[in-house]
Amino acid sequence: MHQNTPKQGYHNLNRFSVAPMLDWTDRHCRYFHRLLSKNTLLYTEMVTTGAIIYGKGDYLAFSEEEHPVALQLGGSDPAALAQCAKLAEERGYDEVNLNVGCPSDRVQNGRFGACLMGDAQLVADCVKAMQDAATIPITVKTRIGIDEQDSYQFLCDFIETVSTQGGCEMFIIHARKAWLSGLSPKENREIPPLDYPRVYQLKRDFPHLTMAINGGIKTLEEAKEHLQHLDGVMVGREAYQNPSILTAVDNQLFGEHFPITNGVDAVREMYPYIENELTKGAYLGHMTRHMLGIFQGIPGARQWRRHLSENAHKKGADLAVVEQALAFVTRGE
């Protein structure tokens, strides 16, 4: 059984992470990403406290190989969040993160996500309850503001309250504000302007807190630039759509020089996992959809994506489909 480290090691754990992304960062995706980087912290999709406590499925399932892995929770009831944090620790998660950044209507109606920024005391109460229930790190992912509440002072007051009253020592800051109405979640990731200097300033004003930055980061060169000002970097869509970026993380950001996995090797390393999941009734397409972008920019990449997209969902689809798709990429070798 994986041993959790009590509330320490934030700096290394959060130095580089892949963001929690709804419908994307499921357990199959995380397993694949782990083959590409052993140091990157991987986040689950956001899971609501209600799903964990009352849902029929196992919303906390993950593979031991995924470590280090963090659970992102959505909710605003301190008791429910505490219960889920305790369960997460028992299951072996390395961190629990509270979502104070998602702007979707569905999320607001459940009173969680970005709207919580408007109630710093409630966020502090939630974090405190989770801290009391578990010994693993409890972190908060937030925006730089919401709606008209987007002054630097508003952000500082939020961080001050949640860190002092809630005991939160680690914040991931999405460097955009969120509009709670009028913009879709997709538009909220693109329309509000990025303000990296504001996040840098926040770290200077709260040097005792561990802070990571998120939003619009596409390359490891950009990540290195941010790491000169902050403790960590979280990458979202780029890591999903172009997962080969992860193959250089261990070498470039953690100074670990071991053979970097190439895309073909990574795909083949997935075979035992895929075979095992197929025997349990999983569909091939549910696994291969996360692998479509691995050959971005490489000859044959388009045919690889097309072959998988057209065939992986078919009844009885197995590893032969992946091998056929891989042939488009390996032909030139």
Side-chain angles (χ1 to χ4, degrees), residues 1 27 29 33 50 55 62 79 121 136 138 152 158 180 211 221 233 241-242 290-291 318 327:
M1 182 64 190
R27 63 192 183 87
C29 172
H33 284 178
F62 71 96
Q121 188 56 56
I136 53 176
I138 307 295
Y152 182 64
F158 175 82
L180 298 182
M211 289 192 188
E221 287 311 309
V233 171
Q241 291 160 348
N242 179 24
H290 305 300
M291 303 159 66
D318 59 15

Side-chain angles (χ1 to χ4, degrees), residues 136-147:
I136 53 176
I138 307 295
T139 67
V140 167
K141 183 169 189 284
T142 189
R143 295 269 183 147
I144 57 173
I146 46 170
D147 296 340

